[in-house]
Amino acid sequence: MQNVVKTFLCLPAFLAIGCATVNNVAKAEHAVTQTKPAPACQFSAEDSAWVKRAISAWHDVNRTITQVADVGVFDVIFFDAKCQRMSSDALQKTDNVIWTSELHNGTVQFPNGDEMPPIVNSFTMSTAEGQTFFVMSVPSIWRDGGVTSPIGLETFMVPVMLHEAMHAIQSPTYGKQIDALIKKHNLPDSFNDDSVQAIFEDNKAFSASVLAEVDLLMQAAQATTDSDARRLARQARDMLKNRYQTWMIGDAEKYRAIDDVWLTMEGSGQWLGYSWLSSANGGRLTKAEAIDAFGLRGKWWSQKLGFALFMALDRLADNWQADAFGNGNRTVLALLDDALLEEK
């Protein structure tokens, strides 16, 4: 089975996982070794600068936030209207990185043999054979596609890249859980992080509960006292449990576990992007600006509710990153339940 994660523009999306210019170039720059002979094609100076910035941001957040010791092995592919560039180690190391470049002639080629036109997209794909790769078009494609952001396109695209790259890291953990649940319940290969929303969004009470949960969790994250944070988070968690127990019953009970994993993957990706945007070494936005521009942007429940869950979790708990960005032993709901049982 082949799985793909949703892009931020809601184009076909990792594990069926997935749809924003302040010119603050990241301070850390990394040496890149080009293969010889000279590359068959090159990006523009502006697109090349963005790729360097995005990769630098990845190494910075991995060093300071996620602290993933074993990034794993996967390819990264960036492309513009004419050229695609690929590396198998750009996100794994900072020095002596090897890139290969080739003209794609209007059809971007993926390592597993799939292909697509050079359009606005950003996703991680994991195949049944265990091959994982991250693909993203560069800013010139997004700009030509009419994508804009109040914080600037290049700045918005960095957290998009961080979100999707994290899915590549999570492929052996939460990704495998998604695969197992899809197979266990005989769900279609196309079942993705937005499928639960597609099933239940016409249920007005269900939809209203999701939005109320997001609001309560964000209030918990921003509460001035620990007691208020815990009270609000418990209220949101109780609403979520009630929503599951009211509508995810009978045959629909199978969606509970898979929704939990999707919330974990999408929420952690959103939280990581938000963290970079609101950091002094990253986007340098205020937390409120980063929430509006990225964290709660869009209409997708998996991203909005997932992000709110991680915001509340981060307010209440320490060291949850080892699970969400590392071993994947616990989902966000399990992590939040643990946090609500303990005093920070």
Side-chain angles (χ1 to χ4, degrees):
M1 181 185 69
Q2 178 174 291
N3 291 314
V4 185
V5 183
K6 177 186 78 217
T7 73
F8 277 77
L9 297 179
C10 312
L11 297 171
F14 157 73
L15 305 183
I17 302 172
C19 219
T21 64
V22 180
N23 293 317
N24 297 311
V25 178
K27 294 180 180 179
E29 294 185 357
H30 305 289
V32 176
T33 300
Q34 297 287 354
T35 57
K36 295 182 179 181
C41 56
Q42 294 182 334
F43 294 157
S44 69
E46 293 80 7
D47 285 339
S48 294
W50 179 84
V51 170
K52 181 181 289 187
R53 181 187 185 190
I55 291 174
S56 178
W58 165 257
H59 288 294
D60 182 57
V61 298
N62 192 38
R63 181 179 65 255
T64 62
I65 299 175
T66 65
Q67 299 180 350
V68 177
D70 183 9
V71 173
V73 178
F74 59 91
D75 296 323
V76 294
I77 303 166
F78 293 103
F79 62 89
D80 66 8
K82 296 181 179 180
C83 183
Q84 67 179 75
R85 304 192 66 206
M86 184 174 77
S87 175
S88 297
D89 56 11
L91 298 189
Q92 288 82 356
K93 62 182 185 178
T94 59
D95 297 310
N96 300 318
V97 175
I98 297 174
W99 289 92
T100 59
S101 303
E102 63 179 341
L103 292 168
H104 57 61
N105 297 315
T107 303
V108 181
Q109 303 289 330
F110 302 155
N112 68 336
D114 286 353
E115 57 188 33
M116 64 172 284
I119 59 176
V120 176
N121 220 327
S122 176
F123 63 90
T124 297
M125 179 176 287
S126 182
T127 69
E129 293 73 28
Q131 184 179 32
T132 299
F133 50 92
F134 162 71
V135 181
M136 188 169 183
S137 45
V138 294
S140 59
I141 293 286
W142 290 54
R143 186 169 289 106
D144 289 346
V147 183
T148 61
S149 169
I151 64 172
L153 180 61
E154 284 81 359
T155 294
F156 171 73
M157 288 179 64
V158 173
V160 172
M161 179 268 188
L162 298 176
H163 176 120
E164 293 297 339
M166 178 47 60
H167 287 331
I169 306 300
Q170 294 169 325
S171 176
T173 57
Y174 297 120
K176 286 189 178 297
Q177 294 179 38
I178 291 290
D179 281 340
L181 288 166
I182 286 175
K183 293 175 181 177
K184 176 181 178 180
H185 298 297
N186 295 313
L187 297 170
D189 289 355
S190 60
F191 196 95
N192 63 26
D193 51 321
D194 299 323
S195 294
V196 168
Q197 182 170 347
I199 293 168
F200 291 101
E201 65 182 342
D202 289 338
N203 181 327
K204 293 183 179 180
F206 192 105
S207 298
S209 181
V210 171
L211 298 180
E213 293 157 26
V214 171
D215 184 57
L216 285 168
L217 290 163
M218 293 304 296
Q219 289 184 50
Q222 298 163 352
T224 56
T225 68
D226 289 346
S227 61
D228 282 344
R230 300 176 75 82
R231 174 180 57 81
L232 291 162
R234 282 196 183 97
Q235 188 177 347
R237 184 67 177 101
D238 288 343
M239 289 187 69
L240 193 152
K241 288 179 181 177
N242 183 66
R243 176 164 56 84
Y244 278 7
Q245 293 166 0
T246 301
W247 290 290
M248 287 187 180
I249 56 177
D251 184 60
E253 186 175 352
K254 64 190 178 186
Y255 300 129
R256 294 186 189 182
I258 200 166
D259 188 44
D260 188 3
V261 183
W262 282 130
L263 289 171
T264 304
M265 297 189 74
E266 289 302 301
S268 60
Q270 289 297 98
W271 185 89
L272 185 61
Y274 153 84
S275 297
W276 179 84
L277 273 179
S278 59
S279 70
N281 292 329
R284 300 183 182 180
L285 302 183
T286 65
K287 290 182 178 180
E289 288 170 337
I291 289 170
D292 290 341
F294 189 77
L296 291 179
R297 177 185 181 273
K299 65 179 182 178
W300 302 108
W301 291 352
S302 59
Q303 291 184 359
K304 295 169 78 77
L305 180 55
F307 173 70
L309 284 163
F310 275 100
M311 288 292 285
L313 175 63
D314 191 55
R315 175 67 174 78
L316 297 169
D318 296 314
N319 302 319
W320 55 265
Q321 291 90 339
D323 284 281
F325 300 128
N327 56 41
N329 288 339
R330 292 180 293 175
T331 63
V332 66
L333 295 182
L335 288 165
L336 183 59
D337 287 343
D338 289 349
L340 290 171
L341 291 173
E342 301 173 2
E343 294 293 337
K344 185 172 180 178

